[in-house]
Amino acid sequence: MWGGLYPPQAIYANRRFKGVLLDPPNFEPGSWCGAGKLWIDEESGEYWLTSRPRMGEEIRGYAVEIYRSADGERYSLVNRISKEEVSEAAGVKVHSIENQQMLRDPLTGRYFLYLSVDIAERNIAGRADRTFESKWETYLMSSDDPSGPWRAEGFVLRGDREYDSGEARDSTIDIIDGRYFCLYKARRAGERNVYTALAVSSDGKNWVKLGIPKIDGKDQPDTFVLNGSILQGCCGPIFIGTQTLYHVKGAHLTRHFASYLIDYRNLNLESIFVTEWTPGSIFEHPEYPIHTYSSIAYDSAGDRWLITIEAVDPIHSKEPGLNLEVDRVLLYTSKQIH
């Protein structure tokens, strides 16, 4: 019916709430799960989902959890890597784990697991008024099987540029035409404004940072965070996922679903589709339904699109905010129309 990549507009228009995939460790304010990636192994027919659990200001992202499913709708935990284990592997104190990206390297066949880790000198980012003092970088581990064991590969996105000296994390990473593409959250040390930066790699380990892309030829607003998936389109790599423009009491919260063509040669993101995310369930806050994180994958077995979001739960949250809300992982499906 349409040429090129299946239209993001149709993915959004046909989405239907399917259910709750993961609950947080408890339902006290500041307890979350999510910030992960949904990845489908077409060869084995297995569905993989990563998540980080959190319990308030004092017990921040304390692990990365890896789940497996046979149908994309019911998941079982197969592995958990604690932040103490990541600290030992990295050789530096990790205060918290946040966003994770898991995919398979086409050369080695090994699974790559990218972790956003807070390695600030002091554990202060759990406080809403001091999140900008944190130090976030991206660490890589690899394995022959998601159930482990996982091997340390080292830091791959360091805060070594002025624009990402405070944060180089919360990546969206996918492989297009054999090249790794990464959109990640960038922040200057000591500043609150966050942007989306772009990097590329030939092997997933050594990255070339291209900088902060323009949006339709214009500078990004002072808060601009993209998180989702990067897919292959006829015109080039295409991002589909959430667009976050709001900082609410220490948390970056989301109202929009968006898609952009990634013109990496000219360091520009071309708008394809941007719309307000309308909650489809009782598990999403009516004003701020999503806490930044999402993942989108085409499920060929079911001829459908799977969309996961880290949703702000209006039932148990005091209000939207860093240590005030409760987050779950929700699943939406979108049937592909031919």
Side-chain angles (χ1 to χ4, degrees):
M1 184 181 298
W2 299 289
L5 180 69
Y6 190 72
Q9 298 93 324
I11 296 175
Y12 178 82
N14 296 316
R15 69 194 172 97
R16 298 292 183 271
F17 173 69
K18 192 67 177 180
V20 176
L21 288 185
L22 300 176
D23 282 323
N26 59 47
F27 290 95
E28 296 299 318
S31 185
W32 309 340
C33 60
K37 184 180 183 72
L38 173 66
W39 187 79
I40 303 174
D41 187 336
E42 295 287 352
E43 183 179 349
S44 67
E46 294 176 313
Y47 303 76
W48 295 95
L49 179 67
T50 65
S51 178
R52 65 84 182 84
R54 182 189 196 271
M55 290 191 291
E57 179 179 343
E58 299 301 323
I59 310 177
R60 298 165 59 209
Y62 58 86
V64 53
E65 297 178 335
I66 301 174
Y67 294 82
R68 178 171 51 204
S69 172
D71 62 6
E73 299 180 14
R74 290 170 289 271
Y75 288 82
S76 299
L77 180 67
V78 298
N79 197 4
R80 177 186 288 114
I81 308 170
S82 70
K83 67 180 178 183
E84 288 77 18
E85 291 175 294
V86 177
S87 296
E88 182 177 357
V92 63
K93 176 71 173 180
V94 171
H95 300 297
S96 182
I97 299 172
E98 193 65 14
N99 174 254
Q100 330 92 43
Q101 298 283 286
M102 189 177 78
L103 66 166
R104 182 181 287 170
D105 176 57
L107 177 63
T108 64
R110 290 179 66 82
Y111 289 84
F112 281 7
L113 181 63
Y114 298 88
L115 305 176
S116 298
V117 293
D118 181 5
I119 56 171
E121 291 185 4
R122 293 179 295 159
N123 186 17
I124 56 178
R127 291 181 50 180
D129 60 339
R130 302 187 70 177
T131 56
F132 63 94
E133 298 179 51
S134 60
K135 175 68 173 180
W136 291 90
E137 295 185 331
T138 302
Y139 192 76
L140 174 64
M141 305 183 79
S142 72
S143 177
D144 287 326
D145 187 279
S147 61
W150 287 87
R151 183 177 75 195
E153 297 288 350
F155 284 94
V156 291
L157 289 176
R158 309 297 311 240
D160 54 9
R161 304 294 176 88
E162 181 184 2
Y163 60 80
D164 64 7
S165 53
E167 294 186 36
R169 60 127 165 183
D170 283 5
S171 302
T172 293
I173 301 176
D174 281 293
I175 302 170
I176 306 296
D177 294 333
R179 175 178 286 181
Y180 285 76
F181 285 87
C182 174
L183 293 168
Y184 69 95
K185 184 192 289 184
R187 177 182 57 79
R188 292 181 178 87
E191 295 188 7
R192 294 181 183 271
N193 297 340
V194 293
Y195 304 95
T196 292
L198 176 61
V200 296
S201 174
S202 60
D203 61 6
K205 297 180 180 180
N206 301 288
W207 290 85
V208 176
K209 293 181 178 180
L210 302 182
I212 306 292
K214 303 282 188 180
I215 308 297
D216 296 322
K218 299 180 180 179
D219 290 341
Q220 295 184 21
D222 287 341
T223 297
F224 188 83
V225 180
L226 298 178
N227 191 266
S229 299
I230 300 172
L231 306 169
Q232 175 61 60
C234 287
C235 298
I238 292 177
F239 166 84
I240 305 177
T242 57
Q243 174 178 292
T244 301
L245 306 173
Y246 308 99
H247 186 270
V248 181
K249 298 184 178 179
H252 287 108
L253 303 182
T254 308
R255 294 178 182 173
H256 295 93
F257 184 81
S259 179
Y260 291 91
L261 173 65
I262 303 173
D263 181 3
Y264 61 95
R265 293 181 178 88
N266 296 305
L267 198 57
N268 186 53
L269 302 178
E270 298 179 10
S271 299
I272 296 174
F273 175 64
V274 180
T275 190
E276 187 168 313
W277 179 277
T278 303
S281 73
I282 62 171
F283 304 107
E284 299 159 72
H285 192 277
E287 185 176 8
Y288 297 106
I290 303 172
H291 189 159
T292 306
Y293 305 105
S294 67
S295 188
I296 294 90
Y298 176 64
D299 178 15
S300 60
D303 196 20
R304 60 181 181 168
W305 291 85
L306 302 181
I307 306 169
T308 64
I309 60 171
E310 180 172 328
V312 180
D313 181 0
I315 302 170
H316 298 94
S317 301
K318 285 186 176 180
E319 59 180 305
L322 181 61
N323 296 308
L324 302 170
E325 68 191 54
V326 172
D327 294 355
R328 306 171 186 254
V329 178
L330 307 185
L331 174 66
Y332 277 81
T333 61
S334 180
K335 192 70 176 176
Q336 183 152 309
I337 301 173
H338 297 278

